[in-house]
Amino acid sequence: MSLDPPTYLNSLQNNIRARPIPWDGAVRAGIITDQDLKKIKAVDKVRKEQRRQTVEADVGAYRSLLLGGESGKSVLESAAKRADVVQYILVLTGDLLNDVSDLPSALLDHPDPYKPFLPLLTYSSNPEDPIPLLTSSVLSTLISVAQTKFPKSTPKTDEALPKLYKYLSGLTKSQDSGLQDIAIQEYSAVLRTKKSRELFWKQQQETVNPLIEILRAAAGAGKDTDSTLWSGGASVRSATEAGLGGGVGLQLLYHVLLALWQLSFEGTLVGPGLEEEHEIFQLYTQLLRLSPKEKTTRLLLSTIVNLLQPASNRTSLLAAAVSVRLPNVLSNLKGRHLTDPDLLEDLTALTDMLDEYTSSQTTFDEYAAEVMTGHLRWSPPHRDGNFWRENASKILTENKGELPRKLAEILGKSWENDKQVLAIGCNDVGWLVKECPEKRSLLENLGIKVRVMELMSEADESIRWESLRAVGEWLRYSFDSK
């Protein structure tokens, strides 16, 4: 998987290559040896072909130069106190890895191939410091090759990956999109194996959460603006060639979607968590509405297919997909002039999967599935009197009262970014009390009556109205029973 090198990193590397280094002074100061200098000069500022031939003629010597060996330390360890030398060697190492195909494998044959690099990831807490930034680039290249060379994970790689992920996660939280893009491209370089994806998910608070925040910003639903996301109000016209919401460029969006697509190959592991923690189907449905490019649409659809592929995911995740009206969005997508064969294949597969699911669902099933997702929306059953007359009793008693317990859990949250959830919950409580007054005590024992009364003082008008209506049903039946 080849991506264009980030502009920010390219510019930094070019600036460092152009700097003069007082090598002779470094030798006199004992920072590097005369032998090290000869090896460096033999490959520095020469044509790629000459560089390749020089390294291939003595690949063991260059492995010792970069990683250390019986004859001494790595040049990076020897020069640790000279930031200019360390930066230059890191750029040179990156060039050698790219230009000399035999070198990465030779480095990986070393007993401890990552040892000189890992400490440099914590060289500075400044995200713009060149040394950790250049180190992460070298490490991601080396680990990517290791994953190809050793399909089964190795202890050294498994030890290095969490440290690399931790550093890169700091870049993804930066306000600088250039730094974010570097981190995300380096994630993609190493998310090639089952083990690397499992380790990535294990650190999800650091790794996944910032990526989701970038997507939420692109969807026009940052931390304080969820209403756009839940309403589905934006459209493809909102997206421009430069980017989407929150100043997220299309290139950065593509790279984030690519990394999460790679992660989605562990669908059984990550699918339930992505929906529970991030409501991934709502987010991806909105991004499908906005996506102005086939390459982003393709990744969105393929990720959804991967998450729905495991049989263990289908019951809960298909329900989530239907509740956020994904089938309607897919229908609209079919009206676009799409040409990518992989995209069209996934679109057909996903449509068939959802059609099969919805054809077997009753209105009660749809309502129950929505409640169990933990996020209510104004779907048709909520305001359908016939639905409540036919199903209120079943809702209260099915699976030993599972649905009212979940409703109590939903109402117990503040929903600062999506207040309509509380209004819908109060609406449902009002219907349940109206249709099954004899079961009021069940709702009261769950704390629902107290919570609904609290919501009568909410600033949001729709919550006040629905909570007042629900309490009114309680009062009506309380008076009727006297």
Side-chain angles (χ1 to χ4, degrees):
M1 186 179 303
S2 178
L3 297 174
D4 294 333
T7 305
Y8 187 107
L9 188 59
N10 262 350
S11 177
L12 174 64
Q13 291 167 332
N14 287 333
N15 287 338
I16 291 171
R17 289 186 192 102
R19 293 176 192 167
I21 302 292
W23 293 114
D24 293 334
V27 172
R28 288 194 298 272
I31 291 171
I32 61 172
T33 67
D34 191 53
Q35 288 301 313
D36 288 343
L37 180 57
K38 287 179 181 177
K39 294 188 191 85
I40 292 167
K41 286 192 170 181
V43 294
D44 187 31
K45 294 182 172 61
V46 298
R47 297 190 315 275
K48 287 184 180 181
E49 183 59 26
Q50 183 179 339
R51 175 181 286 165
R52 184 185 64 78
Q53 291 174 358
T54 301
V55 175
E56 287 179 350
D58 197 358
V59 72
Y62 281 91
R63 179 174 60 201
S64 296
L65 173 72
L66 298 174
L67 301 181
E70 294 178 2
S71 58
K73 294 180 178 180
S74 157
V75 67
L76 288 166
E77 294 170 313
S78 302
K81 294 182 180 179
R82 281 284 299 274
D84 59 336
V85 173
V86 172
Q87 290 174 22
Y88 202 91
I89 294 299
L90 286 169
V91 172
L92 182 61
T93 302
D95 292 341
L96 292 176
L97 290 173
N98 289 327
D99 296 345
V100 185
S101 58
D102 291 346
L103 182 62
S105 291
L107 296 182
L108 292 166
D109 287 335
H110 189 280
D112 205 347
Y114 311 119
K115 181 173 177 279
F117 303 109
L118 290 174
L120 297 178
L121 289 174
T122 55
Y123 181 88
S124 168
S125 59
N126 178 1
E128 295 186 16
D129 190 293
I131 288 179
L133 201 57
L134 296 167
T135 301
S136 71
S137 177
V138 169
L139 274 172
S140 62
T141 300
L142 204 51
I143 290 172
S144 179
V145 174
Q147 292 170 335
T148 304
K149 182 177 171 68
F150 308 111
K152 292 184 178 179
S153 63
T154 64
K156 292 297 180 184
T157 297
D158 293 347
E159 180 186 335
L161 272 169
K163 296 175 182 178
L164 177 62
Y165 288 156
K166 183 176 179 62
Y167 170 70
L168 294 178
S169 71
L171 298 186
T172 62
K173 297 169 191 170
S174 168
Q175 297 302 306
D176 188 317
S177 61
L179 292 175
Q180 290 178 319
D181 202 34
I182 290 170
I184 294 160
Q185 288 204 44
E186 290 178 13
Y187 278 156
S188 279
V190 299
L191 285 173
R192 293 168 173 262
T193 65
K194 180 178 180 66
K195 185 65 176 182
S196 67
R197 294 189 288 266
E198 289 172 346
L199 290 170
F200 190 81
W201 181 249
K202 190 175 181 180
Q203 293 173 248
Q204 60 183 284
Q205 294 296 320
E206 293 176 308
T207 56
V208 177
N209 289 12
L211 303 189
I212 296 293
E213 285 306 317
I214 292 172
L215 294 185
R216 289 170 67 81
K223 288 182 178 178
D224 301 320
T225 56
D226 272 359
S227 57
T228 300
L229 181 59
W230 306 128
S231 68
S235 71
V236 71
R237 294 186 183 88
S238 308
T240 67
E241 190 68 30
L244 286 87
V248 178
L250 287 175
Q251 194 70 358
L252 178 61
L253 173 68
Y254 176 76
H255 292 153
V256 173
L257 293 175
L258 180 62
L260 290 174
W261 170 74
Q262 290 170 276
L263 181 64
S264 73
F265 281 92
E266 307 308 319
T268 303
L269 174 68
V270 308
L274 284 172
E275 179 57 26
E276 184 177 339
E277 295 293 323
H278 305 294
E279 296 187 308
I280 196 73
F281 283 90
Q282 177 69 69
L283 177 58
Y284 269 48
T285 298
Q286 176 65 358
L287 287 169
L288 279 171
R289 291 188 183 101
L290 289 166
S291 177
K293 296 287 184 181
E294 286 200 11
K295 66 178 185 178
T296 51
T297 301
R298 180 178 66 242
L299 286 173
L300 288 162
L301 289 175
S302 186
T303 300
I304 293 172
V305 169
N306 286 347
L307 294 178
L308 291 174
Q309 207 70 258
S312 59
N313 286 359
R314 291 196 180 181
T315 300
S316 60
L317 298 189
L318 279 169
V322 170
S323 74
V324 299
R325 303 191 180 103
L326 178 58
N328 293 349
V329 174
L330 297 182
S331 178
N332 291 337
L333 276 179
K334 287 183 174 180
R336 296 189 197 174
H337 181 63
L338 302 171
T339 58
D340 185 286
D342 292 333
L343 185 163
L344 292 169
E345 182 180 340
D346 282 336
L347 180 57
T348 300
L350 195 51
T351 301
D352 291 346
M353 196 185 303
L354 288 166
D355 284 348
E356 182 182 349
Y357 174 77
T358 54
S359 66
S360 65
Q361 296 295 291
T362 64
T363 309
F364 172 81
D365 292 331
E366 291 175 12
Y367 174 79
E370 181 185 329
V371 173
M372 294 310 294
T373 67
H375 198 122
L376 303 178
R377 301 164 186 89
W378 280 119
S379 53
H382 294 287
R383 285 171 165 153
D384 184 344
N386 288 331
F387 168 78
W388 291 104
R389 281 187 286 277
E390 294 170 5
N391 294 287
S393 180
K394 187 177 181 181
I395 288 168
L396 290 167
T397 57
E398 186 89 350
N399 293 330
K400 299 180 180 179
E402 179 183 50
L403 291 175
R405 286 198 302 275
K406 188 67 178 180
L407 194 57
E409 179 187 317
I410 293 169
L411 285 169
K413 298 178 181 179
S414 63
W415 296 99
E416 291 298 331
N417 298 322
D418 193 17
K419 287 291 188 181
Q420 72 167 357
V421 172
L422 295 174
I424 300 167
C426 290
N427 166 85
D428 292 5
V429 170
W431 279 109
L432 290 171
V433 174
K434 180 179 180 179
E435 298 301 330
C436 296
E438 71 282 3
K439 293 188 170 67
R440 297 194 305 278
S441 60
L442 186 155
L443 300 173
E444 291 167 7
N445 291 338
L446 291 171
I448 289 179
K449 181 179 180 181
V450 171
R451 177 56 174 157
V452 170
M453 292 178 74
E454 289 174 355
L455 293 173
M456 290 171 64
S457 60
E458 269 281 337
D460 185 280
E461 184 179 350
S462 63
I463 297 174
R464 290 201 309 273
W465 165 252
E466 295 294 350
S467 60
L468 181 63
R469 190 178 68 81
V471 171
E473 293 295 341
W474 244 298
L475 292 174
R476 180 159 70 93
Y477 286 105
S478 296
F479 289 132
D480 287 351
S481 64
K482 289 183 180 181

